[in-house]
Amino acid sequence: EIDRRHDTSGRPLSSVFLASREVHAPGAIVSGAFLDHFRGDGFAGYSWDRLGGRSPYFGFRLHYELPEGFVARAFFERRLYRLDTALAENYWGAELFWRF
């Protein structure tokens, strides 16, 4: 017997997930530098999947850049879940880069 799992919408999951999406997402972006070595980006808008699901989306990124090539970033995003657009998801984290 095959064990079948289901997603949050009750549809059966398969080992290879294939989904049809047609997402439209108008929005706005604001970016600017402030203080020494700091830059910020923010965005917001509204997205909807013609095949189901809709939600506002927004996020921000804070960058700290040094002339020696080091970059630190912190970010937060809220948007439609890519596998099931009936749901929204949050992303957050930090990154550290060295450009050479």
Side-chain angles (χ1 to χ4, degrees):
E1 181 176 317
I2 298 174
D3 180 28
R4 300 225 181 247
R5 294 184 301 168
H6 296 83
D7 68 8
T8 57
S9 301
R11 295 182 299 247
L13 291 173
S14 63
S15 56
V16 177
F17 187 81
L18 301 175
S20 295
R21 300 285 181 253
E22 185 181 316
V23 178
H24 303 269
I29 300 171
V30 175
S31 181
F34 59 95
L35 302 175
D36 287 338
H37 309 293
F38 281 95
R39 187 168 53 90
D41 308 313
F43 60 90
Y46 193 80
S47 56
W48 68 93
D49 182 352
R50 188 181 67 84
L51 305 174
R54 58 193 67 226
S55 174
Y57 66 91
F58 56 89
F60 70 87
R61 286 182 168 72
L62 179 63
H63 310 259
Y64 178 72
E65 301 179 7
L66 290 173
E68 297 83 13
F70 289 101
V71 178
R73 296 181 188 154
F75 61 89
F76 174 81
E77 297 180 16
R78 180 165 176 81
R79 60 185 177 191
L80 289 178
Y81 181 47
R82 64 182 154 248
L83 297 178
D84 184 355
T85 56
L87 303 173
E89 64 182 342
N90 296 324
Y91 283 106
W92 58 272
E95 304 167 322
L96 181 61
F97 296 92
W98 178 39
R99 296 182 191 156
F100 56 93

